[in-house]
Every structure is written in C-alpha cells, then in structure tokens.
Coordinates of all heavy atoms in Angstrom, one line a residue:
M328 N 32.4 135.4 148.5 CA 32.3 134.4 147.4 C 33.5 134.6 146.5 O 33.8 135.7 146.1 CB 31.0 134.6 146.7 CG 30.4 133.3 146.2 SD 28.8 133.6 145.3 CE 29.4 133.6 143.7
V329 N 34.1 133.5 146.1 CA 35.2 133.6 145.1 C 34.7 133.5 143.7 O 34.0 132.6 143.3 CB 36.2 132.4 145.4 CG1 37.4 132.5 144.5 CG2 36.6 132.4 146.9
V330 N 35.0 134.5 143.0 CA 34.6 134.5 141.6 C 35.7 133.8 140.8 O 36.9 134.3 140.7 CB 34.4 135.9 141.0 CG1 34.0 135.9 139.6 CG2 33.3 136.6 141.9
K331 N 35.4 132.8 140.1 CA 36.3 132.0 139.3 C 36.4 132.7 137.9 O 35.4 132.8 137.2 CB 35.9 130.6 139.2 CG 37.1 129.6 139.5 CD 36.6 128.2 139.3 CE 37.9 127.3 139.3 NZ 37.5 126.0 138.9
K332 N 37.6 133.1 137.6 CA 37.8 133.8 136.3 C 38.0 132.7 135.2 O 38.8 131.8 135.4 CB 39.0 134.7 136.3 CG 38.6 136.1 136.1 CD 39.8 137.0 136.0 CE 39.7 137.9 134.7 NZ 41.0 138.6 134.5
I333 N 37.2 132.8 134.2 CA 37.3 131.9 133.1 C 38.4 132.4 132.2 O 38.4 133.5 131.7 CB 36.0 131.8 132.3 CG1 34.8 131.3 133.2 CG2 36.1 130.8 131.1 CD1 33.4 131.6 132.7
P334 N 39.4 131.5 131.9 CA 40.5 132.0 131.1 C 40.1 132.2 129.7 O 39.4 131.4 129.1 CB 41.6 130.9 131.2 CG 40.9 129.7 131.7 CD 39.6 130.2 132.4
Q335 N 40.4 133.4 129.1 CA 40.0 133.7 127.8 C 41.3 134.0 127.0 O 42.3 134.5 127.5 CB 39.1 134.9 127.7 CG 37.7 134.6 128.2 CD 36.7 135.7 127.9 OE1 37.0 136.8 128.1 NE2 35.5 135.3 127.5
R336 N 41.2 133.7 125.7 CA 42.3 134.0 124.8 C 41.8 134.6 123.5 O 40.6 134.3 123.1 CB 43.1 132.7 124.4 CG 43.8 132.1 125.6 CD 45.0 132.9 126.1 NE 45.7 132.3 127.1 CZ 45.4 132.4 128.4 NH1 44.3 133.1 128.8 NH2 46.1 131.8 129.4
M337 N 42.6 135.3 122.8 CA 42.2 135.9 121.5 C 42.4 135.0 120.4 O 43.4 134.3 120.2 CB 43.0 137.2 121.3 CG 42.4 138.1 120.2 SD 43.5 139.4 119.7 CE 43.1 140.6 121.0
C338 N 41.4 134.9 119.5 CA 41.4 134.1 118.3 C 42.3 134.8 117.3 O 42.2 136.0 117.1 CB 40.0 133.8 117.8 SG 40.0 133.2 116.1
T339 N 43.2 134.1 116.6 CA 44.1 134.7 115.6 C 43.3 135.1 114.4 O 43.7 135.9 113.6 CB 45.2 133.6 115.2 OG1 45.6 133.0 116.4 CG2 46.3 134.3 114.6
G340 N 42.1 134.5 114.2 CA 41.3 134.8 113.0 C 40.4 136.0 113.2 O 40.6 137.0 112.5
C341 N 39.5 135.9 114.1 CA 38.5 137.0 114.3 C 38.9 138.0 115.3 O 38.2 139.0 115.4 CB 37.1 136.4 114.6 SG 37.1 135.4 116.1
M342 N 40.0 137.7 116.0 CA 40.5 138.7 117.0 C 39.5 138.9 118.2 O 39.6 139.9 118.9 CB 40.9 140.0 116.4 CG 41.9 139.9 115.3 SD 43.5 139.4 115.8 CE 44.2 140.9 116.4
E343 N 38.7 137.9 118.4 CA 37.7 138.0 119.5 C 38.2 137.2 120.7 O 38.9 136.2 120.5 CB 36.4 137.6 119.1 CG 35.6 138.6 118.4 CD 34.2 138.1 117.9 OE1 33.6 137.2 118.6 OE2 33.9 138.5 116.7
M344 N 37.9 137.7 121.9 CA 38.3 136.9 123.1 C 37.3 135.8 123.2 O 36.1 136.0 123.2 CB 38.2 137.8 124.3 CG 39.2 138.9 124.3 SD 41.0 138.4 124.2 CE 41.2 137.8 125.9
K345 N 37.8 134.6 123.4 CA 37.0 133.4 123.6 C 37.4 132.6 124.7 O 38.6 132.7 125.2 CB 37.0 132.5 122.3 CG 36.5 133.2 121.0 CD 35.0 133.1 121.0 CE 34.4 134.0 119.9 NZ 34.4 133.4 118.6
I346 N 36.5 131.7 125.2 CA 36.9 130.9 126.3 C 38.0 129.9 125.8 O 37.8 129.3 124.7 CB 35.7 130.1 126.9 CG1 34.7 131.1 127.5 CG2 36.1 129.1 128.0 CD1 33.3 130.5 127.7
K347 N 39.0 129.8 126.6 CA 40.2 129.0 126.2 C 39.9 127.6 125.6 O 40.5 127.2 124.6 CB 41.2 128.9 127.4 CG 42.6 128.8 127.0 CD 43.5 128.8 128.3 CE 44.8 128.0 128.0 NZ 45.5 127.9 129.3
K348 N 39.0 126.9 126.3 CA 38.7 125.5 125.9 C 37.9 125.4 124.6 O 37.8 124.4 124.0 CB 38.0 124.8 127.0 CG 36.7 125.3 127.4 CD 36.1 124.4 128.5 CE 34.7 124.9 128.8 NZ 34.2 124.4 130.1
E349 N 37.4 126.6 124.1 CA 36.7 126.6 122.8 C 37.7 126.8 121.7 O 37.2 126.9 120.5 CB 35.6 127.6 122.9 CG 34.5 127.2 123.8 CD 33.4 128.2 123.9 OE1 33.5 129.3 123.2 OE2 32.4 128.0 124.6
L350 N 38.9 127.0 122.0 CA 39.9 127.4 121.0 C 40.9 126.2 120.8 O 41.1 125.4 121.7 CB 40.6 128.6 121.4 CG 39.8 129.9 121.6 CD1 40.6 130.9 122.3 CD2 39.4 130.5 120.2
I351 N 41.5 126.2 119.6 CA 42.6 125.3 119.4 C 43.9 126.1 119.6 O 44.1 127.2 119.2 CB 42.6 124.8 117.9 CG1 41.3 124.1 117.6 CG2 43.8 123.9 117.6 CD1 41.1 123.7 116.2
R352 N 44.8 125.4 120.3 CA 46.1 126.1 120.6 C 47.1 125.6 119.6 O 47.3 124.4 119.5 CB 46.5 125.8 122.1 CG 47.8 126.5 122.5 CD 48.0 126.3 124.0 NE 49.1 127.1 124.4 CZ 50.3 126.6 124.9 NH1 50.4 125.3 124.9 NH2 51.2 127.4 125.2
V353 N 47.9 126.5 119.1 CA 49.0 126.1 118.2 C 50.2 126.6 119.0 O 50.2 127.7 119.5 CB 48.9 126.8 116.9 CG1 50.1 126.4 115.9 CG2 47.6 126.6 116.2
V354 N 51.2 125.8 119.1 CA 52.3 126.1 120.0 C 53.7 126.0 119.2 O 53.8 125.1 118.4 CB 52.3 125.3 121.3 CG1 52.6 123.8 121.0 CG2 53.2 125.8 122.3
K355 N 54.6 126.9 119.6 CA 55.9 126.8 119.0 C 56.9 126.5 120.2 O 56.9 127.3 121.2 CB 56.3 128.1 118.3 CG 57.7 128.1 117.7 CD 58.1 129.4 117.1 CE 58.7 130.3 118.2 NZ 59.3 131.5 117.6
N356 N 57.7 125.5 120.1 CA 58.6 125.1 121.2 C 59.9 125.8 121.0 O 60.1 126.6 120.0 CB 58.7 123.6 121.3 CG 59.4 123.0 120.1 OD1 60.0 123.6 119.3 ND2 59.3 121.7 120.1
K357 N 60.8 125.5 121.9 CA 62.1 126.2 121.9 C 62.9 125.9 120.6 O 63.8 126.6 120.2 CB 62.9 125.8 123.1 CG 62.6 126.6 124.4 CD 63.6 126.2 125.5 CE 63.4 124.8 125.9 NZ 63.8 124.5 127.3
E358 N 62.6 124.7 120.0 CA 63.3 124.3 118.8 C 62.7 124.9 117.6 O 63.1 124.5 116.5 CB 63.4 122.8 118.7 CG 64.4 122.1 119.6 CD 64.0 122.1 121.1 OE1 62.8 121.8 121.4 OE2 64.8 122.4 121.9
D359 N 61.7 125.8 117.8 CA 61.1 126.5 116.7 C 60.2 125.6 115.9 O 59.8 125.8 114.7 CB 62.1 127.1 115.7 CG 61.9 128.6 115.6 OD1 61.5 129.2 116.6 OD2 62.2 129.1 114.5
E360 N 59.8 124.5 116.5 CA 58.8 123.5 115.9 C 57.4 123.9 116.2 O 57.1 124.1 117.4 CB 59.1 122.1 116.3 CG 60.4 121.6 115.8 CD 60.9 120.3 116.6 OE1 60.4 120.0 117.6 OE2 61.8 119.7 116.1
V361 N 56.6 124.0 115.2 CA 55.2 124.3 115.4 C 54.3 123.0 115.5 O 54.5 122.1 114.6 CB 54.7 125.3 114.3 CG1 53.2 125.6 114.5 CG2 55.5 126.5 114.3
S362 N 53.5 123.0 116.4 CA 52.6 121.8 116.5 C 51.2 122.3 117.1 O 51.1 123.4 117.6 CB 53.2 120.7 117.4 OG 53.4 121.2 118.7
I363 N 50.2 121.4 116.9 CA 48.9 121.7 117.5 C 48.8 121.1 118.8 O 49.2 119.9 119.0 CB 47.8 121.2 116.5 CG1 48.0 121.8 115.1 CG2 46.4 121.5 117.1 CD1 47.2 121.1 114.1
D364 N 48.4 121.8 119.8 CA 48.4 121.4 121.2 C 47.0 121.0 121.6 O 46.2 121.9 121.8 CB 49.0 122.5 122.0 CG 49.0 122.1 123.5 OD1 48.8 120.9 123.8 OD2 49.2 123.0 124.3
F365 N 46.7 119.7 121.7 CA 45.4 119.3 122.0 C 45.2 119.3 123.5 O 44.1 119.2 124.0 CB 45.1 117.9 121.4 CG 45.1 117.9 119.9 CD1 46.1 117.4 119.2 CD2 44.1 118.6 119.2 CE1 46.2 117.4 117.8 CE2 44.1 118.6 117.8 CZ 45.2 118.0 117.1
T366 N 46.3 119.3 124.3 CA 46.2 119.2 125.7 C 46.1 120.6 126.4 O 45.7 120.7 127.5 CB 47.3 118.4 126.3 OG1 48.6 119.1 126.0 CG2 47.4 117.0 125.8
G367 N 46.6 121.6 125.7 CA 46.7 122.9 126.2 C 47.9 123.1 127.2 O 47.9 124.0 127.9
K368 N 48.7 122.1 127.2 CA 49.8 122.1 128.3 C 51.2 122.0 127.7 O 52.2 122.0 128.4 CB 49.6 120.9 129.2 CG 48.4 121.1 130.1 CD 48.2 119.9 131.0 CE 46.9 120.1 131.8 NZ 46.0 118.9 131.8
K369 N 51.3 122.0 126.4 CA 52.6 122.0 125.8 C 53.4 123.3 126.1 O 52.8 124.4 126.0 CB 52.5 121.8 124.3 CG 52.3 120.4 123.8 CD 52.5 120.3 122.3 CE 52.1 118.9 121.8 NZ 52.2 118.9 120.4
P370 N 54.6 123.2 126.4 CA 55.4 124.4 126.7 C 55.7 125.1 125.4 O 55.9 124.5 124.4 CB 56.7 123.9 127.4 CG 56.8 122.5 126.9 CD 55.5 122.0 126.6
G371 N 55.9 126.4 125.5 CA 56.2 127.2 124.4 C 55.3 128.4 124.2 O 54.4 128.6 125.0
R372 N 55.5 129.1 123.0 CA 54.7 130.2 122.7 C 53.4 129.7 122.0 O 53.5 129.0 121.0 CB 55.5 131.1 121.8 CG 54.9 132.5 121.6 CD 55.7 133.2 120.5 NE 55.0 134.4 120.1 CZ 55.3 135.6 120.7 NH1 56.2 135.7 121.6 NH2 54.6 136.7 120.3
G373 N 52.3 130.2 122.5 CA 51.0 129.7 121.9 C 50.2 130.7 121.2 O 50.3 131.9 121.5
A374 N 49.5 130.3 120.2 CA 48.5 131.1 119.6 C 47.2 130.4 119.5 O 47.2 129.1 119.5 CB 48.9 131.5 118.2
Y375 N 46.1 131.1 119.5 CA 44.8 130.4 119.6 C 43.9 130.7 118.4 O 44.0 131.7 117.8 CB 44.1 130.8 120.9 CG 44.8 130.4 122.1 CD1 45.8 131.2 122.6 CD2 44.5 129.2 122.8 CE1 46.5 130.8 123.7 CE2 45.1 128.8 123.9 CZ 46.2 129.6 124.4 OH 46.9 129.2 125.5
I376 N 43.1 129.7 118.1 CA 42.2 129.9 117.0 C 40.8 129.2 117.2 O 40.8 128.1 117.8 CB 42.8 129.5 115.6 CG1 42.0 129.9 114.4 CG2 43.0 127.9 115.6 CD1 42.8 130.2 113.2
C377 N 39.7 129.8 116.8 CA 38.4 129.3 117.0 C 38.3 128.0 116.2 O 39.0 127.8 115.2 CB 37.3 130.2 116.5 SG 37.2 131.7 117.2
K378 N 37.4 127.1 116.6 CA 37.2 125.9 115.9 C 36.2 126.2 114.7 O 35.1 125.8 114.7 CB 36.6 124.8 116.8 CG 37.6 124.3 117.7 CD 37.0 123.4 118.8 CE 38.1 123.0 119.8 NZ 37.5 122.3 121.0
D379 N 36.7 127.1 113.9 CA 35.9 127.7 112.8 C 36.7 127.9 111.6 O 37.8 128.5 111.7 CB 35.3 129.0 113.3 CG 34.2 129.5 112.3 OD1 34.4 129.4 111.1 OD2 33.2 130.1 112.8
I380 N 36.3 127.3 110.5 CA 37.1 127.3 109.3 C 37.3 128.7 108.8 O 38.3 129.1 108.2 CB 36.4 126.3 108.2 CG1 37.5 126.0 107.2 CG2 35.2 126.9 107.6 CD1 38.4 124.9 107.6
A381 N 36.3 129.6 109.0 CA 36.4 131.0 108.6 C 37.5 131.7 109.3 O 38.3 132.5 108.7 CB 35.1 131.7 108.8
C382 N 37.7 131.4 110.6 CA 38.8 132.0 111.4 C 40.1 131.5 110.9 O 41.1 132.2 110.8 CB 38.6 131.7 112.9 SG 37.2 132.6 113.6
L383 N 40.2 130.2 110.6 CA 41.4 129.6 110.1 C 41.8 130.3 108.8 O 43.0 130.7 108.6 CB 41.3 128.1 109.9 CG 42.5 127.4 109.4 CD1 43.7 127.5 110.3 CD2 42.2 125.9 109.1
E384 N 40.9 130.4 107.9 CA 41.2 131.0 106.6 C 41.6 132.4 106.8 O 42.5 132.9 106.1 CB 39.9 130.9 105.7 CG 39.9 129.6 105.0 CD 38.6 129.3 104.3 OE1 37.7 130.1 104.3 OE2 38.4 128.1 103.8
K385 N 41.0 133.1 107.7 CA 41.4 134.5 108.0 C 42.8 134.6 108.5 O 43.6 135.4 108.1 CB 40.4 135.1 109.0 CG 40.1 136.6 108.7 CD 39.2 137.1 109.7 CE 37.7 137.1 109.2 NZ 36.8 137.7 110.2
A386 N 43.1 133.6 109.4 CA 44.5 133.6 110.0 C 45.5 133.2 109.0 O 46.7 133.7 109.0 CB 44.5 132.5 111.1
I387 N 45.2 132.4 108.0 CA 46.1 132.0 106.9 C 46.3 133.2 106.0 O 47.4 133.6 105.7 CB 45.6 130.8 106.1 CG1 45.5 129.6 107.0 CG2 46.5 130.6 104.9 CD1 44.8 128.4 106.3
K388 N 45.2 133.9 105.6 CA 45.3 135.0 104.7 C 46.1 136.2 105.3 O 46.9 136.8 104.5 CB 43.8 135.4 104.4 CG 43.6 135.7 103.0 CD 42.1 135.9 102.8 CE 41.8 136.8 101.6 NZ 40.3 137.1 101.5
T389 N 45.9 136.5 106.5 CA 46.5 137.6 107.1 C 47.9 137.2 107.6 O 48.7 138.1 108.1 CB 45.7 138.2 108.3 OG1 45.5 137.1 109.2 CG2 44.4 138.7 107.9
R390 N 48.2 136.0 107.6 CA 49.5 135.4 108.2 C 49.6 135.8 109.6 O 50.7 135.9 110.2 CB 50.7 136.0 107.4 CG 50.8 135.5 106.0 CD 51.9 136.2 105.2 NE 51.8 136.0 103.8 CZ 52.2 134.9 103.1 NH1 52.7 134.0 103.8 NH2 52.0 134.9 101.8
R391 N 48.5 136.0 110.3 CA 48.6 136.4 111.7 C 49.1 135.3 112.6 O 49.8 135.6 113.6 CB 47.2 136.9 112.1 CG 47.3 138.0 113.2 CD 45.9 138.5 113.6 NE 45.4 139.5 112.7 CZ 44.1 139.5 112.2 NH1 43.3 138.6 112.5 NH2 43.8 140.5 111.4
L392 N 48.8 134.1 112.2 CA 49.3 133.0 113.0 C 50.8 132.9 113.0 O 51.4 132.8 114.1 CB 48.6 131.7 112.5 CG 48.6 130.5 113.4 CD1 47.9 130.8 114.7 CD2 48.0 129.3 112.7
S393 N 51.4 133.0 111.9 CA 52.9 133.0 111.8 C 53.5 134.2 112.5 O 54.5 134.1 113.1 CB 53.4 132.8 110.4 OG 52.9 133.8 109.6
K394 N 52.8 135.3 112.3 CA 53.3 136.6 113.0 C 53.2 136.4 114.5 O 54.2 136.8 115.2 CB 52.4 137.8 112.6 CG 52.9 138.4 111.3 CD 52.1 139.7 111.0 CE 51.9 139.8 109.5 NZ 50.8 140.7 109.2
N395 N 52.1 135.9 115.0 CA 52.0 135.7 116.4 C 53.0 134.7 117.0 O 53.5 135.0 118.1 CB 50.6 135.1 116.8 CG 49.6 136.2 116.9 OD1 49.8 137.4 116.6 ND2 48.4 135.8 117.4
L396 N 53.3 133.7 116.3 CA 54.3 132.7 116.7 C 55.7 133.1 116.3 O 56.7 132.4 116.7 CB 53.9 131.3 116.2 CG 52.6 130.8 116.8 CD1 52.3 129.4 116.2 CD2 52.7 130.6 118.3
E397 N 55.8 134.1 115.5 CA 57.2 134.6 115.1 C 57.9 133.5 114.3 O 59.1 133.3 114.6 CB 58.0 135.2 116.2 CG 57.3 136.4 116.8 CD 58.0 136.9 118.1 OE1 58.7 136.1 118.7 OE2 57.8 138.1 118.4
T398 N 57.2 132.8 113.5 CA 57.8 131.7 112.7 C 57.0 131.5 111.5 O 55.8 132.0 111.4 CB 58.1 130.4 113.5 OG1 58.9 129.6 112.8 CG2 56.8 129.8 113.9
T399 N 57.5 130.7 110.5 CA 56.6 130.3 109.4 C 55.9 129.0 109.8 O 56.4 128.1 110.4 CB 57.5 130.1 108.1 OG1 58.7 129.4 108.5 CG2 57.8 131.3 107.4
I400 N 54.6 129.0 109.4 CA 53.8 127.8 109.6 C 53.7 127.0 108.3 O 53.4 127.6 107.3 CB 52.4 128.3 110.0 CG1 52.4 129.4 111.1 CG2 51.5 127.1 110.5 CD1 52.4 129.0 112.5
S401 N 54.0 125.8 108.4 CA 54.0 125.0 107.2 C 52.5 124.6 106.8 O 51.6 124.7 107.6 CB 54.7 123.7 107.4 OG 54.1 122.9 108.4
D402 N 52.4 124.3 105.5 CA 51.0 124.0 105.0 C 50.5 122.7 105.8 O 49.3 122.6 106.0 CB 51.1 123.6 103.5 CG 51.3 124.9 102.7 OD1 51.1 126.0 103.2 OD2 51.7 124.7 101.5
E403 N 51.4 121.9 106.2 CA 51.0 120.7 106.9 C 50.3 121.0 108.2 O 49.3 120.4 108.6 CB 52.3 119.9 107.3 CG 52.1 118.5 107.6 CD 53.3 117.9 108.2 OE1 54.5 118.2 107.9 OE2 53.2 117.0 109.1
I404 N 50.7 122.1 108.9 CA 50.1 122.5 110.1 C 48.7 123.1 109.8 O 47.7 122.8 110.5 CB 50.9 123.5 110.9 CG1 52.2 122.9 111.4 CG2 50.2 124.2 112.0 CD1 52.1 121.9 112.5
Y405 N 48.6 123.9 108.8 CA 47.3 124.4 108.4 C 46.3 123.3 108.0 O 45.2 123.4 108.3 CB 47.5 125.4 107.2 CG 48.1 126.7 107.6 CD1 49.1 127.3 106.8 CD2 47.6 127.4 108.7 CE1 49.7 128.5 107.1 CE2 48.2 128.6 109.0 CZ 49.2 129.2 108.2 OH 49.7 130.4 108.6
E406 N 46.9 122.3 107.3 CA 46.0 121.2 106.9 C 45.5 120.4 108.1 O 44.4 120.0 108.2 CB 46.8 120.2 106.0 CG 47.0 120.7 104.5 CD 45.6 120.9 103.9 OE1 44.7 120.1 104.0 OE2 45.5 122.0 103.2
K407 N 46.4 120.2 109.1 CA 46.0 119.5 110.3 C 45.0 120.3 111.1 O 44.0 119.8 111.6 CB 47.3 119.4 111.2 CG 48.0 118.1 111.0 CD 49.0 117.9 112.1 CE 50.1 116.9 111.6 NZ 51.3 117.0 112.4
L408 N 45.1 121.6 111.1 CA 44.2 122.5 111.7 C 42.8 122.4 111.1 O 41.8 122.3 111.7 CB 44.6 124.0 111.7 CG 45.7 124.4 112.8 CD1 46.2 125.7 112.5 CD2 45.1 124.4 114.2
K409 N 42.9 122.4 109.7 CA 41.6 122.3 108.9 C 40.9 121.0 109.3 O 39.7 121.0 109.5 CB 42.0 122.4 107.5 CG 40.9 123.0 106.6 CD 41.3 123.1 105.2 CE 42.0 124.4 104.8 NZ 42.4 124.5 103.4
D410 N 41.7 119.9 109.3 CA 41.1 118.6 109.6 C 40.5 118.6 111.0 O 39.4 118.1 111.2 CB 42.2 117.5 109.6 CG 42.6 117.1 108.2 OD1 41.9 117.4 107.3 OD2 43.6 116.4 108.1
E411 N 41.2 119.2 111.9 CA 40.7 119.2 113.3 C 39.4 120.0 113.4 O 38.4 119.6 114.0 CB 41.8 119.9 114.1 CG 41.5 119.9 115.6 CD 41.3 118.5 116.2 OE1 41.9 117.6 115.7 OE2 40.5 118.4 117.1
I412 N 39.3 121.1 112.7 CA 38.1 121.9 112.7 C 36.9 121.2 112.0 O 35.8 121.2 112.5 CB 38.4 123.3 112.0 CG1 39.3 124.1 112.9 CG2 37.1 124.1 111.8 CD1 39.9 125.4 112.3
L413 N 37.2 120.6 110.9 CA 36.2 119.9 110.1 C 35.7 118.7 110.8 O 34.5 118.4 110.8 CB 36.6 119.6 108.7 CG 36.9 120.8 107.8 CD1 37.5 120.4 106.5 CD2 35.7 121.7 107.6
N414 N 36.6 118.0 111.5 CA 36.2 116.8 112.3 C 35.4 117.1 113.5 O 34.7 116.3 114.0 CB 37.4 116.0 112.6 CG 38.0 115.3 111.4 OD1 37.4 115.1 110.4 ND2 39.3 115.0 111.5
E415 N 35.6 118.3 114.0 CA 34.9 118.8 115.2 C 33.4 118.8 115.0 O 32.6 118.7 115.9 CB 35.4 120.1 115.6 CG 35.1 120.6 117.0 CD 35.9 119.8 118.0 OE1 37.0 119.4 117.8 OE2 35.4 119.7 119.1
K416 N 33.0 119.1 113.8 CA 31.5 119.3 113.5 C 30.8 118.0 113.1 O 31.4 117.0 112.8 CB 31.4 120.4 112.4 CG 31.6 121.7 113.1 CD 31.7 122.8 112.1 CE 32.0 124.2 112.8 NZ 32.3 125.2 111.9
Ligands
LIG820 ZN1 37.7 133.3 115.7

C-alpha cells in the first residue's frame, strides 16, 4: 500500500507544522517582490501562516515573516493578509 504523505509546512506565527492547504503562502520572487500566493504555485521563496489572526499578529510582532523571506514586508502585505484571514471566517 502506498502511503500518501500530506505536505506540511511550518506556520510563521505559532511555529507549528500544519497541512499546507490550511495555510496562506507568502512568496518573494526573484525581483524581491512580496506577494500573497493563493494558488500555492508561485515561484520564489515562500513562508506560510495559519489562517488565524493571532498567528499573523505574532508573525508581525516577531518579524519572523520578513526574516523568513529575508526581506522587509510592507504594511500593505500585512493588511492583505489580515483581510484574507478575516474574510475566511
Ligand atoms: Zn499558526
């Protein structure tokens, strides 16, 4: 029997491993532009976050998201993430 491995990624906020599709992917491309990846297929360096406002706030506070992506994240991106999380519920 083939065991299908469910891809898991670490949340930038709570640092817990979660199923990839339950997370939001933030991606930095070669041009150093940060965007939110809704398809999960954008090329570049990615960081993940739970669809949870507490995790987002933690990621902002600790600056872990920008550290993970090795760039600065604009407020615009944080706002978009917030919208995304709040609209999810
Ligand atoms: Zn989390």
Side-chain angles (χ1 to χ4, degrees):
M328 214 179 98
V329 182
V330 180
K331 229 181 166 188
K332 241 186 133 188
I333 302 162
Q335 287 193 318
R336 294 292 182 274
M337 193 191 278
C338 166
T339 318
C341 61
M342 304 294 278
E343 276 174 38
M344 296 298 285
K345 296 278 167 86
I346 297 163
K347 208 176 153 188
K348 64 177 181 196
E349 290 178 358
L350 299 163
I351 300 172
R352 184 172 187 248
V353 185
V354 70
K355 184 184 83 169
N356 67 13
K357 276 188 294 201
E358 283 74 43
D359 238 32
E360 290 163 347
V361 178
S362 58
I363 301 162
D364 179 14
F365 297 109
T366 61
K368 286 179 183 132
K369 278 191 188 176
R372 190 188 172 94
Y375 295 83
I376 190 148
C377 298
K378 291 170 184 168
D379 190 320
I380 201 77
C382 288
L383 177 65
E384 277 168 3
K385 219 181 260 181
I387 295 171
K388 224 171 153 184
T389 57
R390 296 175 195 276
R391 211 178 274 136
L392 199 57
S393 59
K394 271 183 216 160
N395 273 10
L396 294 176
E397 295 171 340
T398 188
T399 38
I400 315 269
S401 66
D402 289 344
E403 199 193 326
I404 293 293
Y405 286 134
E406 282 302 316
K407 269 189 200 163
L408 280 168
K409 208 178 271 181
D410 282 349
E411 186 58 29
I412 290 165
L413 295 175
N414 288 338
E415 194 73 28
K416 283 173 183 168

